[in-house]
Amino acid sequence: MNSDFKDLLRCLNEAGAKHLIVFAILAFLAGCQTARADLRPTDLRCEDLTNPLGIDNLKPRLSWELRSNERAQSQTAYQIQVASTPTDLARGHVIQSDSGKVASSDLSTSYTNLPLHSKTRHWWRARVWDARGKPSSWSAPAMWSMGLLHPEDWQGDWITAPASIKNGPLLRSEFTVKAPVWRATAFVTGLGYYELYVNGKRVGDHVLDPAQTDYRERALYVTYDITHYLKPGRNAVGVMIGNGWFNQDRVWGGMSYGRPCARCFIEIDGGVFFQNVSTGGDWRCSSGPVIRDNVYAGEEYDARLEQPGWTEPGFDDSRWQPAKVVPSPARRLAAQTMLPIKRIQVLKPAKSWSPNPGSQVFDFAQNFAGWARIRVAAPSGTAIKLRYSEAIDSKGNLDTASTGVFATGVEQIDTYVCGSSSVYEPRFTYHGFRYVEVSGLGPGVRIEGIEGVVVHSALERAGRFESSDSMLNRIHRAALWTERSNLHGIPTDCPAREKCGWLGDAGITAEMTLYNFRITRFWDKYLRDIWTSWQ
């Protein structure tokens, strides 16, 4: 017990303070004396992303948040260490860079200590000094990797389907891996949209990827760690491509940049060997089950045209055609350093009814952006049509005028032709809707389940709002649903009719989104869209 504390206690006793008050003050002061500052950095991010792969900023922004069990704590300094492996970082040696103690209350800094190079990985950690000048323990390690920073770093060609293949191109290749893989990285893009498969498995959980850009100026690519997808021996890689915004040829007079195409570069590091796999004229191509796809009009999928095993090694592609090598559609490729579009939530229908023979309408009790996932039992060749709208008429029929048919000239319709599979959801389109009409029902056809899949850019929530006024709460929830329905790689004006990134809509909603979401990377990408469109 120090002298100041003894003097205080003596004064209280001499003043005749009651024992209860004395003991309360004693406990409080003892707690203040023995408590140790535990301010610590958490949630380490690079470019406001958690452990991002394939960034292309040569001065990436490193940031962290603070946690403490004490009130009124603050950061007075920080230190950043960077190493090439987490082991080196934990042991504190072979450090690539060390900022030393930096007197600052800032919770972020640009990394400028060393030049950064393509395909390198960097592990980093942080510690901070609190208001009393005490250092924290080191944070848990975080990581970022660099993408392909220069055009010459890319290997492989842009490829597309030959003119004889009209629908849903499938692209594939096989290769042999010599030994167990230490690390394998895939850099891939497909315009307008793509899905990547390795050895029969879909890579990643992105949908409607990559995000829309002015494709003449730049196209976005995504980096994946596919280490655990590969195996020693024979392997296969496949890419399915759709029209997306790259070949939107039906609405507003068409906005097409050309036929769908793809580019993929896989780097395999076996420790004792390096191996590269990339797209080229040696890849094989075939038509797939997607008969048509348009971001406004919907998708038609014929399950009878599926080719089981096409993404697996040993598949017989002797009847497939050679892929066609094409010039680059964009002036440059850039890393997609924003949170991708994903399946965010699944809704169950609140009710359903049958306004006409052979059809059933499902009400999801919420207007949203995405699509319906349906499971049916029906004979092969049965065509099931899913039609979407935001409103119904007095008789319970869909009012598709609510989705801007007068302007687009098309309704939002997905068609599924049954085959051996029984579950369908679209790949290369999305809709704005509350109601779904399922038609084509009849004898021997049964809907076994239907769900509404909410799809938008996978933004994290930031701010929260809750009040004692239920109406204000409802308005806020409605605003969040509206905004999420209009975040699909760009800020759009509506998810059904226009789907365009007008500057006016973006300017109106930007402040609201910043209050509610961690959205800096989204707006960074959109501002670059504006800049590239003005060049």
Side-chain angles (χ1 to χ4, degrees):
M1 187 179 295
N2 63 34
S3 59
D4 292 338
F5 185 76
K6 289 180 180 179
D7 292 341
L8 177 59
L9 184 57
R10 184 173 61 254
C11 290
L12 287 171
N13 285 330
E14 290 173 356
K18 293 187 178 182
H19 291 296
L20 182 60
I21 297 176
V22 172
F23 287 136
I25 295 174
L26 175 64
F28 173 75
L29 293 177
C32 291
Q33 268 196 317
T34 58
R36 297 179 60 86
D38 66 345
L39 188 70
R40 58 199 183 278
T42 64
D43 194 20
L44 272 62
R45 292 174 179 245
C46 176
E47 293 292 281
D48 202 33
L49 300 169
T50 301
N51 298 330
L53 296 175
I55 69 169
D56 56 6
N57 186 353
L58 294 176
K59 297 180 180 180
R61 174 69 57 172
L62 306 180
S63 63
W64 55 92
E65 294 183 358
L66 297 177
R67 294 286 185 272
S68 177
N69 293 323
E70 295 185 56
R71 294 176 61 85
Q73 264 291 7
S74 62
Q75 173 189 300
T76 58
Y78 68 81
Q79 183 179 4
I80 302 293
Q81 288 185 341
V82 181
S84 58
T85 70
T87 302
D88 290 341
L89 198 62
R91 292 175 178 174
H93 66 262
V94 197
I95 300 298
Q96 290 179 333
S97 67
D98 189 332
S99 70
K101 184 179 179 180
V102 179
S104 174
S105 60
D106 292 342
L107 302 184
S108 66
T109 182
S110 292
Y111 181 77
T112 57
N113 297 57
L114 289 175
L116 297 172
H117 305 285
S118 294
K119 301 180 286 186
T120 54
R121 293 198 178 199
H122 304 273
W123 294 83
W124 67 288
R125 63 181 180 177
R127 66 172 174 169
V128 299
W129 280 258
D130 68 7
R132 301 188 186 96
K134 295 180 180 179
S136 71
S137 57
W138 287 103
S139 69
M143 183 274 294
W144 85 86
S145 75
M146 303 304 296
L148 303 174
L149 304 179
H150 311 287
E152 60 268 23
D153 294 329
W154 274 92
Q155 293 191 20
D157 302 306
W158 284 93
I159 59 174
T160 189
S164 58
I165 294 176
K166 304 297 183 183
N167 56 285
L170 308 178
L171 304 165
R172 74 180 304 272
S173 181
E174 292 193 21
F175 55 96
T176 300
V177 174
K178 303 172 185 177
V181 175
W182 180 55
R183 179 185 298 159
T185 307
F187 307 91
V188 61
T189 184
L191 303 179
Y193 297 139
Y194 74 92
E195 291 183 349
L196 174 66
Y197 296 85
V198 175
N199 290 335
K201 296 180 180 178
R202 170 84 187 278
V203 176
D205 58 356
H206 302 189
V207 298
L208 306 178
D209 217 25
Q212 181 186 4
T213 55
D214 182 344
Y215 302 110
R216 295 167 299 186
E217 297 297 327
R218 66 172 181 150
L220 303 180
Y221 72 91
V222 178
T223 303
Y224 293 102
D225 186 331
I226 61 168
T227 305
H228 300 294
Y229 289 82
L230 299 182
K231 60 186 179 181
R234 203 66 176 159
N235 291 259
V237 56
V239 180
M240 177 186 288
I241 47 178
N243 289 318
W245 289 102
F246 185 74
N247 188 32
Q248 196 291 106
D249 58 356
R250 295 192 60 183
V251 178
W252 315 123
M255 298 182 286
S256 177
Y257 294 81
R259 300 197 70 199
C261 53
R263 191 179 191 185
C264 180
F265 168 36
I266 298 174
E267 183 179 71
I268 303 170
D269 182 352
V272 296
F273 76 94
F274 286 89
Q275 183 179 351
N276 294 327
V277 177
S278 57
T279 45
D282 58 332
W283 279 48
R284 307 289 289 172
C285 182
S286 175
S287 58
V290 178
I291 302 300
R292 63 168 180 85
D293 64 284
N294 181 271
V295 291
Y296 293 98
E299 177 182 290
E300 182 177 350
Y301 186 95
D302 191 337
R304 298 171 300 177
L305 302 179
E306 293 175 342
Q307 300 192 49
W310 73 274
T311 61
E312 299 176 8
F315 175 80
D316 181 7
D317 60 8
S318 59
R319 296 186 178 182
W320 287 35
Q321 300 181 46
K324 180 182 178 182
V325 175
V326 294
S328 174
R331 291 185 182 178
R332 65 187 182 94
L333 278 166
Q336 181 171 282
T337 51
M338 60 177 290
L339 291 171
I341 302 170
K342 293 186 178 183
R343 300 174 182 88
I344 302 298
Q345 186 179 351
V346 174
L347 303 179
K348 301 292 184 181
K351 56 183 176 180
S352 66
W353 59 90
S354 180
N356 299 293
S359 69
Q360 192 167 359
V361 174
F362 295 86
D363 178 6
F364 289 95
Q366 173 64 57
N367 213 11
F368 65 99
W371 53 68
R373 178 192 295 144
I374 190 169
R375 186 173 68 254
V376 297
S380 178
T382 303
I384 305 295
K385 183 181 294 186
L386 295 89
R387 198 162 59 115
Y388 301 81
S389 78
E390 296 180 340
I392 54 174
D393 64 20
S394 58
K395 296 182 179 179
N397 293 298
L398 262 61
D399 176 12
T400 57
S402 63
T403 59
V405 175
F406 63 92
T408 63
V410 298
E411 293 184 327
Q412 301 180 122
I413 298 174
D414 296 328
T415 302
Y416 172 58
V417 181
C418 300
S420 57
S421 59
S422 61
V423 178
Y424 168 72
E425 61 179 311
R427 286 173 164 82
F428 301 134
T429 190
Y430 76 96
H431 310 292
F433 67 101
R434 170 177 170 174
Y435 303 93
V436 178
E437 176 196 76
V438 181
S439 60
L441 308 178
V445 179
R446 184 175 69 256
I447 299 176
E448 297 186 328
I450 188 169
E451 299 170 319
V453 182
V454 180
V455 175
H456 56 74
S457 293
L459 302 173
E460 301 173 62
R461 286 293 302 275
R464 294 289 191 274
F465 173 81
E466 191 72 30
S467 76
S468 59
D469 189 319
S470 60
M471 180 57 71
L472 286 178
N473 295 337
R474 288 184 62 189
I475 292 172
H476 184 250
R477 286 195 296 271
L480 289 180
W481 271 105
T482 299
E483 190 58 37
R484 284 192 294 254
S485 293
N486 285 285
L487 297 174
H488 292 84
I490 58 172
T492 64
D493 61 329
C494 68
R497 183 182 67 182
E498 294 186 9
K499 295 187 176 183
C500 294
W502 305 120
L503 299 182
D505 298 272
I508 291 171
T509 62
E511 187 174 12
M512 176 269 193
T513 64
L514 289 167
Y515 277 121
N516 287 280
F517 305 105
R518 295 192 70 143
I519 199 168
T520 55
R521 299 306 309 163
F522 183 95
W523 287 116
D524 178 85
K525 182 265 181 188
Y526 183 65
L527 290 174
R528 292 176 189 272
D529 289 337
I530 298 172
W531 184 82
T532 54
S533 296
W534 283 352
Q535 297 307 299

